[in-house]
Amino acid sequence: MVTLTIDGREIGAREGETILEAANRIGIYIPTLCYHEAISPYGACRLCTVEVNQRGRVRLVASCLFPVEQGLEVKTDSESVRKLRKGLMELLLASCPDSERIQSLAREMGVAETRFALEENKCILCGLCVRVCQEIAEKSIISFVGRGTKRKVATPFFIPSEECIKCQACAYICPTGAIRFEEGKLVLPT
Amino acid sequence: MMPEKVLGKRINSPSELEALEQSIVAKRDPDKPCVVLCAGTGCRAAGAEEVVDAFREEIKQQGLGDKVEVKSTGCHGFCERGPLVVLRPKKIFYQQITKEDIPEIVSESLVNDNIVERLLYADPATGEKIVYEDDVPFYKKQTRILLGANGEIDPTEIDDYIAIGGYSTLAKALFQMSPEEIIEEVKQSGLRGRGGAGFPTYRKWESCRHARGAIKYVICNADEGDPGAYQDRSLLEGNPHSVLEGMIIGAYAIGSHEGYIYVRNEYPLAVRHIGIAIEQAIEYGLLGENILGSGFDFGVSINRGGGAFVCGESTALMASLEGKIGEPRAKYIHTVEKGLWDRPSNLNNVKTWASVPLIINKGAKWYSQMGTEGTKGTMIFSLVGKVNNTGLIEVPMGTTLREIIYDIGGGIPGGKKFKAVQTGGPSGGCIPEELLHLPVDFDELTKAGSMMGSGGMIVMDEDTCMVDIARYFLTFLEEESCGKCVPCREGIKRMGQILTGITQGKGKEGDIEILEDLAGVLRDGSLCTLGTTAANPILTTIRHFRDEYEAHIKEKRCPAAVCQELIQYSIIEEKCPGCGLCVKACPTQAITLVAKKQPVILDQSKCIKCGACYDVCKLGAVAKR
Ligand SMILES: Cc1cc2nc3c(=O)[nH]c(=O)nc-3n(C[C@H](O)[C@H](O)[C@H](O)COP(=O)(O)O)c2cc1C
Ligand code: SF4
Ligand code: FES
């Protein structure tokens, strides 16, 4: 067991637990997009960023991955945290302006509009579908292909997979409805 | 019979190694003429292989077969002047030689004792011809503790390395020093990692040594993805055993028995030479089980990376070694605790590993005499761009940028003015003339908003547009970002779009502020250092060249006349005799000939700004603004 403080509240936590898990346990809300409690954390959306003071060293870290430690002081809603989350939502809103989940998170962060040219993506590349397929369905039908802005969720060579058991976990977990099943067939995000 | 012959060539003790070294040295006459040819990748591209063969042939033909030795070595650094040849023992230096020059070199300088004047290097500043390698200004101001041996050994011959004392440091480490003593020596030396971050090497080693786990790995990072950098390649090609020796010593200090060299696949010669080196070291018992009879075991494998820039990042590199997608992960638990296959792993750069034998051999005190308060030793830079002497250079840390660019690099060609020097690779920064007095060391370059990186140095002259340069680096990073985390993937893309807009005359008031906001999101939010440092090229150019951004945005003008959309070509009437060359060159018939001896007329509405008229006019009658 270790003791740490989150937003001024001193709590005990199990070694190996992440800040996000500890915060959730005591009902402190931290926004997330690429996290799901049933699968391993990934650290892609950065929305869960919090400010930690680690023996005097202050920095911003992704709470879904950062393990708790003795004496850690965490601020989940500091000035710099809010500023970063705002910046992230502005970028996401420009990339996926039609997603309800993105719109509501943007509102939550106080982002009314974005200064960037709007795109029409649905997929935010959070990787939840890829991980759920790998870890829960244990199939790994889909994975990321390509680098940078060319990154996509896809089946090998974009060929429909014979191995897919159509459990639809990917469609269920997707926060933006980008990956879907239509007439029993997997439709990849475009 | 010699025992080494009976047991293959295995060396079983430090004294056998010493005996071998002595026997190799005894067989060699230091005064015997030797033609040393640079056959590094740079000189190979300029035809060095042909030259090596031709030399061997010619020497035989002129009856010097057993009197002159020919050695083909790794990169000497002065790649711009390649192929290079050095005639030992006098070290006469010929440059840019071709096959046709060889009969003359052999008859004049080997059969006789004359100099082939026309193949000498002429100092561009004074025009003076220089005979000896050590007197060439490019080399004179360098301290080549890492690169120096490149010019002395054939990298495919382990005996060459042993002849210059190679592996004797390993013997010293294994038999006379405890792992703790080695780490202490590295600590005292002040060695900091040469892969970019400058992390104290001893701290990594110590943490890895103390990390829990029976199996530990040491890894050599030879991914070298920075465009234009080839320092690591040159070391691996030219002196692979020095890297191996460093790794074995490090493994012993850390308590590791397994190592990897992650080298980019685009480096076939480096892969070959390090492969040969490993084989030879195993044959000699310097690698594998019971090294030198010490009881210490260590093996190394080579892994060829696919060549993505991000694969050089420590966690991405380890993922790639595991056969997974080479993308970074959070390092909140350090790789020295949980790295490759979740086991304690110590990753160091090629140059870091190659520094280790020097430090253990000559001592921390010797090493720490070079450099600055915070950064000891030397650094290898690849000096490129608008500078007279380009190539690989090695200087003590603390050498000023001015000394590097003017004394070693010979200044800016064509009488142009210096504008900036970009250090640190794609996510480094641009340093202006006012800061040329800065000594190169990790902390000073960081303070200037740039970084050491792995030693890239690009010199830029007055014809460079700083907004365009920032855009160039951002475009590179956009392509190389792994795309995993939002700030890096989306942020770099947006910064690139804004910069492109500015260079096309579509910049808006407030763009600089948006760029600065995005830079903050990247710095604070990105998962790995690619993202956290990606805004450096923008931030440093805004900081030091803000007026150029403003000229683009407010006046729609590119002061360096680089950004195509913002340039205007016009005819300088007093200079134009109406020869009509430009009229023929113009692809859109935007220029018309009025009459003989009268200036031509350029119709701006038809001009597509291709610059054909500007290039073709020999009288300088076309202005570009
Ligand atoms: C995007 C990126 C690319 C990198 N590429 C390299 C590389 O090509 N070679 C290298 O040695 N280090 C590279 N690094 C640094 C490594 O992550 C790591 O810090 C280094 O290999 C550690 O060795 P050192 O302590 O000897 O410097 C890179 C880092 C980042 C973020
Ligand atoms: S910072 Fe860039 S390169 Fe690093 S993890 Fe994020 S997207 Fe990938
Ligand atoms: S929830 Fe932590 S990075 Fe997305």
Side-chain angles (χ1 to χ4, degrees):
Chain A
M1 281 296 271
V2 298
T3 320
L4 71 156
T5 57
I6 304 183
D7 293 342
R9 282 167 67 182
E10 194 170 292
I11 61 162
R14 177 174 47 80
E15 223 159 303
E17 207 173 14
T18 62
I19 294 176
L20 180 64
E21 285 164 338
N24 281 348
R25 199 160 36 69
I26 58 165
I28 289 178
Y29 168 72
I30 297 174
T32 62
L33 247 180
C34 70
Y35 173 78
H36 191 286
E37 59 196 15
I39 52 184
S40 50
Y42 189 53
C45 75
R46 319 305 286 173
L47 213 58
C48 69
T49 299
V50 296
E51 186 180 308
V52 296
N53 184 332
Q54 199 180 16
R55 292 172 298 259
R57 183 176 167 218
V58 177
R59 58 181 173 143
L60 297 175
V61 301
S63 64
C64 68
L65 287 164
F66 199 93
V68 294
E69 58 181 53
Q70 181 60 35
L72 195 69
E73 287 169 33
V74 182
K75 288 185 190 159
T76 68
D77 201 26
S78 72
E79 182 72 34
S80 50
V81 166
R82 255 177 298 178
K83 191 165 167 210
L84 174 64
R85 288 192 192 140
K86 234 175 141 152
L88 294 170
M89 285 322 299
E90 188 184 2
L91 287 168
L92 283 171
L93 189 61
S95 171
C96 305
D98 298 329
S99 156
E100 273 172 37
R101 177 104 170 93
I102 298 297
Q103 287 167 0
S104 88
L105 271 169
R107 267 195 306 277
E108 189 183 315
M109 304 304 152
V111 176
E113 54 182 5
T114 165
R115 291 172 287 181
F116 310 118
L118 298 185
E119 294 176 347
E120 293 180 340
N121 305 311
K122 282 201 140 177
C123 176
I124 51 166
L125 301 163
C126 68
L128 280 167
C129 55
V130 173
R131 281 172 287 149
V132 82
C133 186
Q134 183 183 357
E135 296 174 23
I136 308 288
E138 294 187 24
K139 281 288 162 199
S140 298
I141 302 295
I142 44 178
S143 63
F144 283 118
V145 297
R147 254 204 318 266
T149 44
K150 299 199 183 72
R151 190 172 168 97
K152 274 196 163 55
V153 171
T155 51
F157 307 107
F158 295 89
I159 298 168
S161 168
E162 301 281 310
E163 314 279 304
C164 174
I165 53 169
K166 304 192 168 49
C167 69
Q168 310 210 6
C170 52
Y172 171 78
I173 207 167
C174 178
T176 62
I179 192 164
R180 293 167 293 137
F181 272 80
E182 263 172 30
E183 293 163 5
K185 282 208 195 82
L186 174 68
V187 183
L188 293 169
T190 47
Chain B
M1 210 188 293
M2 292 283 288
E4 55 173 273
K5 294 281 184 275
V6 181
L7 302 166
K9 288 182 176 170
R10 209 186 145 83
I11 309 164
N12 293 305
S13 68
S15 52
E16 278 184 32
L17 176 67
E18 209 181 314
L20 176 63
E21 180 184 333
Q22 281 167 4
S23 80
I24 299 169
V25 174
K27 271 186 247 150
R28 297 184 173 182
D29 172 5
D31 295 327
K32 181 175 174 183
C34 180
V35 178
V36 179
L37 283 146
C38 177
T41 295
C43 282
R44 272 176 198 241
E49 276 173 299
E50 228 187 1
V51 170
V52 175
D53 294 341
F55 250 113
R56 291 217 163 94
E57 191 52 34
E58 189 64 33
I59 284 169
K60 229 185 284 162
Q61 291 236 328
Q62 298 203 25
L64 294 174
D66 48 3
K67 294 197 197 78
V68 177
E69 218 182 310
V70 177
K71 203 179 269 301
S72 121
T73 71
C75 175
H76 298 188
F78 206 0
C79 311
E80 188 205 339
R81 295 290 169 151
L84 307 174
V85 60
V86 180
L87 303 182
R88 287 180 176 256
K90 284 191 179 165
K91 295 177 90 177
I92 296 167
F93 177 72
Y94 293 138
Q95 38 105 52
Q96 290 181 328
I97 52 169
T98 62
K99 222 168 68 179
E100 287 67 42
D101 299 323
I102 291 167
E104 192 180 348
I105 298 178
V106 175
S107 61
E108 287 300 311
S109 303
L110 291 170
V111 177
N112 294 303
D113 198 11
N114 303 324
I115 302 293
V116 185
E117 193 80 19
R118 69 185 163 81
L119 297 175
L120 293 176
Y121 171 78
D123 187 340
T126 59
E128 184 201 348
K129 297 241 176 183
I130 295 164
V131 180
Y132 304 106
E133 186 185 31
D134 295 340
D135 296 334
V136 175
F138 178 79
Y139 290 118
K140 212 156 113 185
K141 300 270 169 106
Q142 296 191 43
T143 305
R144 296 163 69 88
I145 61 172
L146 290 169
L147 282 176
N150 269 25
E152 293 183 36
I153 59 175
D154 177 341
T156 60
E157 288 293 341
I158 190 171
D159 284 2
D160 275 19
Y161 185 64
I162 289 175
I164 59 166
Y167 289 110
S168 63
T169 309
L170 174 64
K172 173 179 170 183
L174 292 178
F175 288 88
Q176 294 169 33
M177 294 174 85
S178 67
E180 287 80 7
E181 280 168 339
I182 293 173
I183 294 177
E184 183 59 26
E185 198 70 26
V186 173
K187 176 178 179 178
Q188 293 305 329
S189 76
L191 176 65
R192 293 170 68 172
R194 296 307 197 241
F199 193 81
T201 303
Y202 86 91
R203 277 198 15 220
K204 234 189 236 181
W205 288 20
E206 202 167 61
S207 310
C208 198
R209 175 166 182 80
H210 293 138
R212 258 175 290 171
I215 300 177
K216 296 175 183 177
Y217 302 108
V218 294
I219 308 167
C220 173
N221 192 341
D223 188 55
E224 200 165 61
D226 304 28
Y230 60 110
Q231 302 86 308
D232 297 348
R233 183 187 79 197
S234 285
L235 270 178
L236 280 181
E237 279 177 10
N239 195 356
H241 286 288
S242 68
V243 180
L244 272 186
E245 188 175 4
M247 286 182 77
I248 309 168
I249 295 171
Y252 168 69
I254 287 162
S256 158
H257 304 288
E258 231 177 297
Y260 290 90
I261 298 174
Y262 186 89
V263 49
R264 59 175 19 219
N265 208 17
E266 289 90 332
Y267 282 0
L269 195 64
V271 172
R272 211 183 84 189
H273 285 183
I274 193 76
I276 293 172
I278 290 173
E279 272 174 35
Q280 294 177 339
I282 291 173
E283 207 177 307
Y284 273 23
L286 297 162
L287 203 56
E289 282 175 22
N290 193 19
I291 293 173
L292 283 173
S294 66
F296 176 67
D297 307 334
F298 180 66
V300 181
S301 351
I302 302 176
N303 199 289
R304 298 186 187 196
F309 175 62
V310 74
C311 284
E313 194 276 337
S314 54
T315 58
L317 183 147
M318 290 179 201
S320 176
L321 273 177
E322 291 172 10
K324 299 185 189 138
I325 304 181
E327 65 181 33
R329 59 165 177 75
K331 282 199 281 193
Y332 302 138
I333 299 168
H334 298 299
T335 49
V336 285
E337 313 261 338
K338 268 184 169 198
L340 186 58
W341 290 297
D342 280 344
R343 293 179 176 130
S345 307
N346 181 92
L347 174 73
N348 281 119
N349 172 261
V350 172
K351 300 179 280 296
T352 315
W353 286 123
S355 302
V356 170
L358 294 170
I359 290 167
I360 301 301
N361 179 28
K362 300 193 177 179
K365 210 164 163 190
W366 167 79
Y367 189 80
S368 61
Q369 274 165 2
M370 290 172 286
T372 60
E373 185 62 32
T375 311
K376 303 299 185 189
T378 61
M379 182 67 186
I380 308 177
F381 291 98
S382 69
L383 184 62
V384 297
K386 296 293 168 59
V387 57
N388 275 312
N389 305 327
T390 62
L392 279 194
I393 61 154
E394 183 177 356
V395 290
M397 294 283 193
T399 307
T400 66
L401 288 165
R402 187 179 296 280
E403 287 170 298
I404 293 176
I405 295 165
Y406 287 91
D407 297 349
I408 297 173
I412 318 301
K416 298 273 181 181
K417 258 190 74 185
F418 169 89
K419 186 162 195 179
V421 56
Q422 206 273 357
T423 72
S427 37
C430 294
I431 299 172
E433 174 139 41
E434 305 89 86
L435 296 178
L436 280 184
H437 61 275
L438 281 188
V440 290
D441 92 353
F442 284 106
D443 313 309
E444 289 291 338
L445 290 178
T446 307
K447 263 191 260 164
S450 184
M451 55 190 200
M452 181 80 79
S454 66
M457 199 174 271
I458 306 171
V459 181
M460 296 179 265
D461 69 7
E462 56 189 323
D463 292 338
T464 319
C465 167
M466 301 315 285
V467 186
D468 186 57
I469 282 294
R471 186 196 55 80
Y472 167 81
F473 285 114
L474 264 287
T475 310
F476 175 84
L477 291 170
E478 181 178 342
E479 275 168 25
E480 295 300 326
S481 156
C482 80
K484 176 173 177 174
C485 73
V486 169
C488 179
R489 182 187 69 236
E490 301 295 325
I492 295 180
K493 176 175 78 188
R494 298 303 181 176
M495 294 202 288
Q497 287 172 352
I498 294 170
L499 286 173
T500 305
I502 297 177
T503 58
Q504 292 175 341
K506 297 177 202 145
K508 293 187 292 292
E509 200 87 26
D511 276 357
I512 295 182
E513 290 67 32
I514 302 181
L515 287 172
E516 285 170 338
D517 282 356
L518 283 172
V521 174
L522 273 155
R523 183 197 56 224
D524 294 340
S526 299
L527 191 160
C528 84
T529 318
L530 190 154
T532 56
T533 57
N536 282 345
I538 301 185
L539 292 177
T540 51
T541 46
I542 293 180
R543 177 155 138 200
H544 301 299
F545 301 93
R546 196 182 181 101
D547 52 335
E548 264 188 62
Y549 277 82
E550 285 172 350
H552 282 76
I553 297 172
K554 293 186 188 151
E555 301 161 37
K556 309 293 174 215
R557 185 172 63 85
C558 174
V562 170
C563 298
Q564 233 187 44
E565 273 88 344
L566 303 181
I567 311 173
Q568 215 178 47
Y569 290 94
S570 56
I571 306 298
I572 306 171
E573 296 188 355
E574 316 82 85
K575 289 193 184 172
C576 176
C579 75
L581 264 182
C582 57
V583 178
K584 287 205 199 83
C586 178
T588 62
Q589 281 90 45
I591 311 178
T592 31
L593 204 57
V594 182
K596 274 251 157 74
K597 299 205 172 140
Q598 271 201 37
V600 296
I601 294 175
L602 196 163
D603 179 354
Q604 293 294 344
S605 69
K606 287 190 187 160
C607 172
I608 55 162
K609 296 171 183 172
C610 68
C613 54
Y614 182 82
D615 294 337
V616 82
C617 181
K618 295 192 178 70
L619 300 165
V622 181
K624 176 163 103 171
R625 262 198 318 270

